[in-house]
Amino acid sequence: MAGFADLNLPQGPDKKSLQSLLEAAAHLGYSAVALNHVIDFKEKKQEIVKPVSPLELFPSLPIVQGTSKRIKVLTRLTLVVSDPSHCNLLRSTSANIRLYDIIAVFPKTEKLFHIACTTLDVDLVCINVTEKLPFYFRRPPVNMAIDRGIFFELLYAPAIKDSTMRRYTISNAISLMQICKGKNIVISSAAERPLELRGPYDVSNLGLLFGLSESEAKAAVSTNCRATILHGETRKTACGVVYTVKKPRKVEEEETPLPACKKVKTQA
Amino acid sequence: MAAAPCHGYRPQGGAPLRAPLPRMRTAARQRAEASSPHGFFAPPALVSRAVGDVRGVPLPHWRRCPAARGARRGDVGAAALAAPPAGAAAPAGLRAGPRAGRALAARGAGAGPRLQLPLLKSTIADVGQYYLVRNLSVHELVAHEFIDAFVKKGSCYALTYNTKIDQDNTAALLPNGKLILSVDKDTYEELGLQGRPSQYSGKKVMRYIVTVDLTDSGFHPDSKKHNRVLWALKEKKPLEFDFLLAWYNPGAEGSTLMSYFSKNQIQALKPKITFSTLRDLECPVLQSNELQGKPDESCSTEELFEWLGAVLNQVSLNNKSSSFLSTYCCPQPNTMVEKAFLCTITGFIIPEKIIQLLEQLCCYFGEPKLAYWLTLTVHGFADSPVSWRESEHGFHKGGENLYNFVIFRNLDYWLQMAVGTNDDCPP
């Protein structure tokens, strides 16, 4: 099993609240978190900014409870798309997008869901949990996404805040499970406060409610998150096999082929 | 075989009820097994870590309980497969590894606690010491100086500290000389040593177990095996952990662990011991030859196991209507005991010390006492890679592996062994 990860911590402007969120996540036992920067195209045109390096934001990262390692902080970008023209940003060779570790897309219509699952170069496809799904899931795009190594993300913090959203979360999750049969699911919080975070074993128990089996539910918080992170890393490589690392003093040299875990179609 | 020891007993404070109360099974067990509100791994009762048992050490001059022995296989098999905790069994010999231990002595009214406490305290105080070494590389445990000095003489136990069996890499050294490395997929692919996938993997294997036999005849300093292992652990993928170490060597002095690892940060620690006296405790009535319990006469082994878990976790047994946590009651028939003595020892305890403790506890019944039975519960580490002998131990949502001795006045005993989800049946 891989270490537990929470791939959706909204990145607010306040540094102190982020620090307390990180400390809560480390205390609960998460080995890796991803700070999420959400871009919504409905509002006025936003530029994609460079991700803030976690090392600058947090001088000292908290230690994960029960181990002696520090928590790993990644950067993530979520694009909320409601129009096919918004996807052009992903296809463009904008330098800033490449700097994020994980890229997620939040499709609002069925056509965009199909495009995201089949053609877009993303790691996560977010599933709406705050309102009734405007479209039904169909098997062909979902199976294509599973083949490509894309994961579906479910959030649980809205369910903590409001009881109506709880109903939508469970109903949307169950309808997704009927189509994808529990594969390629990632459950993460969208916690804005430390109180909305839950421990990894509790989250995998929540997965049981959604219809996952015991091993799938535990994988949704650990193994699948690791696969998503690796999928994001391969975007910076050549076909996921070779990547270049800048050495501090010498000239750039290429590393020899990496072990099989770094392939694009992650069989991990 | 002596007759049932509980003749002449009369329940105090009213006759037992005609119909047994419905058993609420789940409260105590859920407390012991489930995660606390924040989803932490170990319930509050389990604190420290140890390696699972390897060698059976035969117990001297024990009287076996014949009825219990006949019932062993069936009970353990059926109960262990159905649900995580296993039923009662009375095998020959003690299968044990370093553990955290608890002893509960149920005593009758009138016996002065002050007379017995110093005697027990002095025996418990001598549970030995263990060492915590920081940032120790695993290749130092494979070095031949270490093997000759510690592994081949006496029994050496080692376990990584602050590692989780379902998330990180873990290593353990068993007293029979085997080094077990439980590594995740990335580490295994980079390490280059032969191992097998974990039993609890499913379709996608994420965990591998590598076993290195240090006392193997083919593992001498110049052999290919030794060189390969040393190369893998030193140069290919150096693994470094904080280790808990203990060494048992009766007789010959040699260099101790402290002097061998003086270059690393090593500190000697003693197990933490706490004593408490429980007052006005309801205890179930037990008969040593009645494993299943007779209605209105004695309680069954499962009921005792649950009650013990409730008491050790300080769950109140009175089924108050205002309590939302537990509706658990002491199983019928029970008796009210004025004082009960509870001692908790937490640390990296080796089985040789547990056997000494067990023998001292048997001497407790040497003088006539009012107590009918006492129990000794030993918990294995939740994050150890092995549980009984070398069977693999995993952590799904709980990693308990424990055994419980119930010792009666006539020196009959029950042995109950319990495992968690990702575990083999105990022997």
Side-chain angles (χ1 to χ4, degrees):
Chain A
M1 283 290 163
F4 295 116
D6 187 354
L7 293 182
N8 192 337
L9 286 188
Q11 186 170 7
D14 187 13
K15 200 170 141 185
K16 266 196 190 150
S17 63
L18 264 182
Q19 180 80 24
S20 61
L21 257 183
L22 269 194
E23 277 166 20
H27 189 59
L28 288 173
Y30 288 104
S31 324
V33 290
L35 297 177
N36 190 10
H37 188 64
V38 182
I39 301 248
D40 199 347
F41 287 104
K42 266 210 210 125
E43 300 152 23
K44 63 174 182 126
K45 186 115 195 258
Q46 297 176 25
E47 291 295 324
I48 297 187
V49 290
K50 242 180 165 175
V52 188
S53 158
L55 296 166
E56 297 165 14
L57 268 183
F58 311 108
S60 72
L61 292 168
I63 294 184
V64 180
Q65 200 235 35
T67 65
S68 23
K69 288 186 280 191
R70 298 200 177 269
I71 195 170
K72 212 166 94 169
V73 180
L74 306 161
T75 50
R76 169 190 151 159
L77 177 71
T78 304
L79 299 169
V80 182
V81 289
S82 31
D83 194 81
S85 60
H86 298 159
C87 303
N88 294 336
L89 205 60
L90 275 168
R91 298 201 187 103
S92 74
T93 50
S94 156
N96 283 342
I97 265 201
R98 305 247 160 240
L99 296 171
Y100 285 90
D101 295 316
I102 303 173
I103 298 186
V105 74
F106 191 160
K108 291 280 191 189
T109 66
E110 173 155 23
K111 197 171 168 200
L112 283 165
F113 181 75
H114 187 98
I115 294 173
C117 290
T118 48
T119 50
L120 281 185
D121 181 22
V122 289
D123 306 313
L124 290 173
V125 172
C126 305
I127 304 295
N128 199 346
V129 293
T130 54
E131 53 193 17
K132 192 167 175 331
L133 274 177
F135 54 91
Y136 289 114
F137 294 115
R138 289 188 301 117
R139 243 174 249 269
V142 169
N143 285 341
M144 269 212 77
I146 292 175
D147 285 335
R148 286 177 69 209
I150 295 179
F151 290 80
F152 299 101
E153 187 199 32
L154 289 166
L155 305 173
Y156 65 82
I160 295 174
K161 292 185 206 162
D162 190 27
S163 64
T164 341
M165 292 201 209
R166 218 168 287 162
R167 275 188 284 142
Y168 290 136
T169 309
I170 297 184
S171 66
N172 294 354
I174 290 180
S175 61
L176 176 64
M177 295 311 155
Q178 282 166 353
I179 307 291
C180 76
K181 295 195 199 70
K183 291 193 233 169
N184 284 38
I185 300 285
V186 166
I187 306 181
S188 56
S189 72
E192 285 149 17
R193 290 188 295 271
L195 263 181
E196 291 162 14
L197 273 175
R198 292 292 179 266
Y201 291 102
D202 292 331
V203 176
S204 75
N205 279 339
L206 182 67
L208 293 177
L209 269 184
F210 294 163
L212 296 167
S213 74
E214 289 262 355
S215 55
E216 284 168 356
K218 197 167 177 192
V221 209
S222 56
T223 319
N224 292 354
C225 297
R226 170 184 170 273
T228 310
I229 296 171
L230 286 176
H231 192 272
E233 270 186 39
T234 59
R235 208 175 305 111
K236 298 178 189 164
T237 71
C239 286
V241 180
V242 176
Y243 76 98
T244 59
V245 172
K246 218 171 192 176
K247 281 210 159 171
R249 280 183 217 155
K250 296 180 191 172
V251 183
E252 264 189 357
E253 44 183 16
E254 264 195 350
E255 290 275 357
T256 45
L258 290 169
C261 60
K262 302 273 189 190
K263 289 217 173 82
V264 169
K265 192 166 155 183
T266 43
Q267 279 132 10
Chain B
M1 239 289 290
C6 294
H7 281 321
Y9 155 78
R10 293 279 177 270
Q12 296 167 4
L17 297 175
R18 290 276 167 95
L21 289 174
R23 254 196 311 147
M24 301 302 291
R25 288 182 64 88
T26 50
R29 184 162 303 134
Q30 274 173 357
R31 268 288 202 92
E33 287 178 9
S35 39
S36 71
H38 281 293
F40 295 146
F41 303 116
L46 292 174
V47 180
S48 56
R49 318 274 174 234
V51 167
D53 66 293
V54 186
R55 257 198 299 235
V57 183
L59 286 172
H61 65 263
W62 276 92
R63 268 194 276 161
R64 314 288 181 223
C65 183
R69 185 189 253 171
R72 167 169 61 125
R73 277 289 158 208
D75 276 353
V76 169
L81 287 170
L94 173 63
R95 320 267 181 246
R99 299 287 156 101
R102 280 202 176 122
L104 168 68
R107 2 176 74 235
R114 295 224 179 87
L115 293 172
Q116 277 74 32
L117 270 180
L119 177 66
L120 276 171
K121 274 187 179 169
S122 62
T123 51
I124 289 168
D126 184 32
V127 253
Q129 61 175 357
Y130 58 99
Y131 303 94
L132 173 62
V133 188
R134 301 267 178 202
N135 299 331
L136 180 64
S137 307
V138 183
H139 68 80
E140 297 203 26
L141 292 180
V142 186
H144 265 274
E145 298 89 36
F146 181 80
I147 297 177
D148 293 329
F150 298 103
V151 179
K152 289 199 170 148
K153 302 180 191 160
S155 2
C156 187
Y157 304 83
L159 179 68
T160 50
Y161 178 63
N162 259 356
T163 55
K164 303 270 186 254
I165 187 71
D166 58 344
Q167 294 177 52
D168 315 316
N169 303 327
T170 313
L173 177 62
L174 306 181
N176 66 352
K178 294 219 171 113
L179 178 69
I180 312 257
L181 299 168
S182 173
V183 289
D184 58 25
K185 186 167 187 275
D186 296 329
T187 315
Y188 180 70
E189 288 171 354
E190 291 172 30
L191 191 59
L193 289 177
Q194 169 102 36
R196 57 168 180 85
S198 152
Q199 279 177 299
Y200 312 112
S201 306
K203 286 186 212 152
K204 293 186 204 166
V205 182
M206 298 297 296
R207 182 147 287 272
Y208 290 86
I209 313 288
V210 177
T211 309
V212 180
D213 194 351
L214 299 177
T215 52
D216 190 17
S217 55
F219 202 75
H220 52 86
D222 280 326
S223 61
K224 269 195 201 171
K225 266 192 208 173
H226 175 79
N227 290 340
R228 172 91 186 171
V229 170
L230 211 56
W231 167 79
L233 291 171
K234 222 175 187 172
E235 289 160 29
K236 185 79 168 53
K237 176 90 183 165
L239 293 173
E240 215 178 65
F241 302 103
D242 296 340
F243 272 96
L244 290 168
L245 287 164
W247 186 48
Y248 179 72
N249 187 19
E253 294 298 318
S255 60
T256 62
L257 284 171
M258 195 80 174
S259 55
Y260 188 86
F261 289 117
S262 49
K263 295 177 253 74
N264 309 73
Q265 303 168 38
I266 183 168
Q267 45 176 158
L269 300 164
K270 277 197 160 276
K272 195 175 75 158
I273 305 173
T274 52
F275 298 100
S276 62
T277 312
L278 309 168
R279 298 192 182 268
D280 295 327
L281 183 66
E282 289 177 349
C283 295
V285 173
L286 302 173
Q287 286 184 348
S288 65
N289 50 359
E290 289 289 342
L291 279 181
Q292 303 304 324
K294 270 192 182 156
D296 290 345
E297 277 188 31
S298 65
C299 295
S300 72
T301 51
E302 286 96 6
E303 287 172 335
L304 168 73
F305 194 69
E306 272 193 349
W307 173 85
L308 199 59
V311 166
L312 297 178
N313 282 323
Q314 286 133 29
V315 175
S316 67
L317 299 173
N318 45 16
N319 193 9
K320 273 197 291 209
S321 56
S322 58
S323 161
F324 289 103
L325 283 176
S326 157
T327 50
Y328 182 72
C329 286
C330 185
Q332 299 286 348
N334 58 20
T335 164
M336 180 71 80
V337 163
E338 260 194 27
K339 282 188 198 123
F341 175 63
L342 170 64
C343 167
T344 307
I345 309 168
T346 307
F348 193 60
I349 308 164
I350 53 183
E352 287 86 357
K353 297 289 178 189
I354 298 182
I355 295 175
Q356 287 175 8
L357 186 60
L358 205 49
E359 288 173 5
Q360 292 289 347
L361 285 175
C362 298
C363 299
Y364 175 78
F365 284 124
E367 306 158 15
K369 296 276 189 337
L370 287 171
Y372 295 107
W373 46 266
L374 56 85
T375 64
L376 171 69
T377 311
V378 181
H379 291 262
F381 280 90
D383 291 312
S384 120
V386 292
S387 57
W388 266 273
R389 300 221 181 96
E390 283 168 39
S391 50
E392 194 194 323
H393 171 74
F395 194 107
H396 180 55
K397 299 217 173 112
E400 51 278 320
N401 51 336
L402 62 106
Y403 60 90
N404 180 38
F405 269 98
V406 184
I407 305 162
F408 293 91
R409 226 192 237 166
N410 60 351
L411 289 190
D412 287 338
Y413 72 96
W414 290 351
L415 175 61
Q416 297 167 301
M417 298 187 274
V419 287
T421 320
N422 282 1
D423 251 310
D424 272 340
C425 282

